[in-house]
Amino acid sequence: MAKIQLNGRKLELKSRHTILELLKKYKLNSKKIAIELNSKILNRNKYKIVYVKDKDKIEIVHFIGGG
Amino acid sequence: MKKDTFKVSNQVLRSRLIVGTGKYKSFKETANAIKASGADMVTVAVRRVNILDKKKPLLTDYLNPKKIKYLPNTAGCYNSEEALRTLRLAREMGGWKMVKLEVLGDKKTLYPDMVETLKATKVLVKEGFKVLVYCSDDPLMARELEYLGASAIMPLASPIGSGLGILNKINLSLIVKNAKVPIIVDAGVGTASDATIAMEMGCDAVLVNSAIARSKKPILMAESFKNAVISGRQAFLAERMQKLSYADASSPFKGLI
């Protein structure tokens, strides 16, 4: 079990997840987002191999309208 | 006559109008307004994904980043660290090196913090970004940004979203005169004629968001801006007549009955 912080929200993952599995869980297209894992940018080719660990702080961002 | 191309860094743009994608009623309206504007580059913001709403539509569903160039901005950043973090994420997301830097210094005026802006520009240029920089309309700041390697200078016409038009034409013309990189008027443009004036002064392009999105008919206004920018550019290239302090009749006196 991992207690993590995702986009500022605290949550618990009951089973082991890779980052890619976490994205799938939230129906997010890995090509349309970028991730910061514990304040460092996570290269997109690592989504498949990096596992979410206890106390991880994850930020998932995307593009929205702006001026 | 030589073809009039608009180039920022190594990127050739068809339109001299760059539009923002914020403040629209819906993504559909955003997409329609952008189409009507003829712009081939749009600014976008970087924000957290809403993880609670899995079905929320995305900007990228309406504006294909393969067809229209995304220019990620740092709107809402109040220091260089936040701005750098945002643009590094943007680069990871889309692979874009061309970005718009704006570091704000004050919540009420949204005036740029030039100390932090200069600091961030330096780092971004070093990291290989092509940086278009939102800045005050101060000729010395513009010169400094160019010296630091900014790809384009984006002086404000007036405060962001104010629609007040160009408040300091003298400063803006000094910036245009001194610069070797493109000058793109950013912020404060209120209506089409403001864009025309900027273009007539020799600015290379205009960035507009609120003036289109906050008008009653954004799609019509977008088209109006498209024409305004073309018109102003043509007038600039045509080199206007001299102003005279007396009249000069247009009809000849010869043959007068």
Side-chain angles (χ1 to χ4, degrees):
Chain A
M1 199 175 74
K3 282 184 186 172
I4 64 162
Q5 199 173 311
L6 177 59
N7 283 5
R9 293 183 66 88
K10 283 181 183 153
L11 52 99
E12 281 184 26
L13 294 173
K14 298 241 158 66
S15 57
R16 247 161 82 87
H17 282 72
T18 61
I19 294 289
L20 192 66
E21 282 160 356
L22 184 72
L23 292 177
K24 276 188 187 154
K25 189 181 163 92
Y26 288 98
K27 295 197 166 35
L28 295 169
N29 182 339
S30 64
K31 285 179 188 146
K32 292 183 174 177
I33 52 104
I35 294 178
E36 217 180 56
L37 176 59
N38 302 323
S39 305
K40 279 193 183 140
I41 289 176
L42 184 66
N43 193 297
R44 60 181 61 253
N45 57 32
K46 289 194 176 151
Y47 294 174
K48 243 191 226 176
I49 51 171
V50 170
Y51 280 90
V52 179
K53 304 182 307 301
D54 195 38
K55 291 184 185 149
D56 271 350
K57 274 189 185 166
I58 303 169
E59 291 284 346
I60 307 177
V61 299
H62 65 165
F63 287 130
I64 65 150
Chain B
M1 203 173 84
K2 221 177 89 192
K3 203 171 171 249
D4 180 40
T5 49
F6 172 42
K7 211 170 163 190
V8 182
S9 179
N10 53 357
Q11 193 81 250
V12 175
L13 295 165
R14 290 189 309 274
S15 173
R16 289 175 179 272
L17 174 63
I18 301 168
V19 290
T21 56
K23 295 182 174 171
Y24 288 95
K25 286 185 209 81
S26 64
F27 283 142
K28 200 168 173 228
E29 189 184 70
T30 315
N32 287 336
I34 283 155
K35 202 173 166 200
S37 76
D40 46 355
M41 185 150 83
V42 296
T43 56
V44 293
V46 176
R47 292 289 182 273
R48 275 175 171 169
V49 165
N50 182 351
I51 51 168
L52 296 178
D53 187 356
K54 295 178 189 176
K55 282 183 187 153
K56 213 179 164 202
L58 300 172
L59 180 72
T60 40
D61 298 335
Y62 289 81
L63 285 175
N64 185 348
K66 282 183 184 134
K67 290 187 180 155
I68 193 144
K69 291 176 189 83
Y70 274 26
L71 181 67
N73 70 20
T74 59
C77 293
Y78 282 85
N79 59 55
S80 58
E81 280 310 309
E82 289 171 11
L84 293 171
R85 183 183 179 201
T86 302
L87 292 178
R88 285 169 185 149
L89 277 163
R91 177 162 67 176
E92 174 64 20
M93 196 148 30
W96 291 278
K97 282 196 177 147
M98 195 172 278
V99 294
K100 176 186 159 184
L101 173 69
E102 60 177 284
V103 188
L104 306 176
D106 179 68
K107 285 198 165 120
K108 193 158 185 180
T109 60
L110 299 179
Y111 211 71
D113 181 330
M114 290 311 297
V115 175
E116 289 295 301
T117 300
L118 292 169
K119 224 196 275 180
T121 303
K122 212 171 175 177
V123 178
L124 289 166
V125 169
K126 208 173 162 192
E127 291 183 13
F129 283 94
K130 306 290 175 205
V131 203
L132 288 69
V133 193
Y134 167 63
C135 59
S136 58
D137 57 359
D138 177 339
L140 299 185
M141 286 298 143
R143 188 175 71 188
E144 189 63 19
L145 286 170
E146 185 170 344
Y147 172 75
L148 290 177
S151 293
I153 312 290
M154 306 177 92
L156 53 84
S158 47
I160 293 175
S162 70
L164 290 171
I166 304 165
L167 294 183
N168 197 335
K169 282 198 204 170
I170 305 290
N171 273 17
L172 189 58
S173 62
L174 281 172
I175 292 171
V176 170
K177 208 171 140 194
N178 295 333
K180 288 188 187 69
V181 295
I183 301 300
I184 304 168
V185 167
D186 183 7
V189 168
T191 188
S193 55
D194 295 335
T196 308
I197 290 168
M199 296 307 293
E200 282 175 348
M201 287 171 66
C203 293
D204 297 275
V206 179
L207 196 156
V208 183
N209 193 156
S210 304
I212 297 175
R214 285 278 189 258
S215 69
K216 283 228 170 103
K217 296 175 186 135
I219 292 143
L220 187 59
M221 189 56 100
E223 195 181 342
S224 137
F225 266 101
K226 173 184 163 180
N227 295 328
V229 166
I230 292 171
S231 189
R233 180 65 185 174
Q234 285 174 333
F236 170 73
L237 293 174
E239 298 179 44
R240 62 155 297 155
M241 66 165 282
Q242 264 198 328
K243 286 183 183 175
L244 302 171
S245 50
Y246 46 85
D248 181 16
S250 298
S251 307
F253 288 106
K254 202 183 164 194
L256 194 69
I257 50 166

